[in-house]
Amino acid sequence: MTRMSIPNTPKTATIDDASTVGRTLALAFDDDPMMRWFFPDGAARAAGLGRYFSTIFTRQYARHGVCEYTEAAAAFWVPPGAQDKAVPDAGTIGELSEILGDRAGLFRKAAEAAAGEGPQEPHWYLAVIGADPAAQGRGHGAALLRSGLARADAAGLPVYLESSKPANLPLYEHFGFTVLGEVQLPGGGPALWPMRRGPAPRPAGV
């Protein structure tokens, strides 16, 4: 049987794509250690993740970032100069607290711990990237990653991210990222790995 090809060309995501983006990322992060810590109830995890990603997309990243998606993946990027704007405002925190329930306090502490590791230099920040496991190996995540990295390279800027899934570290390293350390989240949470990728060298004479 021939496997159906799913287009993996990145498209700009708008507010109207919130449900699609939320559903895709819920599938992508179902086995992520940090998201399983925030949403420990397996029966309710898919719905909780969908609401979580739809909320941060519509209230933060679609407004202050560059968001792209394919038929099976999505990515949220924050350009230099917008990082202060892309943090959750009071309304967003309220919505996320409702979604997270009794894990809201742990989420806030984890977000503070991760923010404290961020670089001071101008950079592009890859806040979220994930692909539906059903489309694994078809280049969706890689297409979104290349799109954002090309944008950062054109500006001559580094890229920063935090990975919460150790299995993804080799993938990011393949794209030029280097692990900067390991952050143990407070409250008995899992680890995060901050990673940085420098800008690609410019051709001679440019």
Side-chain angles (χ1 to χ4, degrees), residues 75-202:
F76 305 159
W77 300 80
V78 183
Q83 271 114 21
D84 290 343
K85 299 176 183 176
V87 298
D89 58 20
T92 305
I93 291 173
E95 286 194 31
L96 293 177
S97 294
E98 180 187 351
I99 294 167
L100 289 155
D102 61 5
R103 312 296 281 185
L106 292 175
F107 173 80
R108 285 192 292 271
K109 291 179 181 178
E112 291 170 0
E117 299 294 323
Q120 299 302 310
E121 63 183 332
H123 65 281
W124 277 83
Y125 175 51
L126 178 52
V128 175
I129 187 168
D132 181 346
Q136 188 174 10
R138 303 186 199 180
H140 289 266
L144 292 174
L145 194 52
R146 289 191 184 97
S147 178
L149 293 179
R151 197 176 293 112
D153 287 343
L157 291 172
V159 178
Y160 177 80
L161 62 82
E162 302 104 2
S163 178
S164 53
K165 190 174 181 181
N168 287 342
L169 300 183
L171 169 65
Y172 293 128
E173 290 172 337
H174 173 75
F175 281 91
F177 285 87
T178 300
V179 175
L180 300 177
E182 181 175 325
V183 180
Q184 194 67 42
L185 295 181
L192 284 181
W193 289 271
M195 305 187 77
R196 180 189 183 276
R197 175 190 181 272
R202 292 180 181 273

Side-chain angles (χ1 to χ4, degrees), residues 2-92:
T2 302
R3 185 168 67 174
M4 183 179 295
S5 176
I6 304 174
N8 61 11
T9 301
K11 299 176 287 185
T12 299
T14 68
I15 296 294
D16 293 337
D17 301 309
S19 61
T20 298
V21 167
R23 184 167 55 251
T24 296
L25 290 174
L27 293 168
F29 282 84
D30 179 71
D31 66 345
D32 181 86
M34 186 170 70
M35 288 302 165
R36 288 199 162 203
W37 186 53
F38 291 148
F39 297 94
D41 182 354
R45 184 177 301 123
L49 285 173
R51 291 180 62 199
Y52 169 81
F53 284 114
S54 295
T55 297
I56 63 173
F57 169 66
T58 56
R59 296 191 62 101
Q60 293 173 242
Y61 298 112
R63 297 182 183 184
H64 305 294
V66 176
C67 301
E68 294 184 318
Y69 74 113
T70 70
E71 297 301 316
F76 305 159
W77 300 80
V78 183
Q83 271 114 21
D84 290 343
K85 299 176 183 176
V87 298
D89 58 20
T92 305

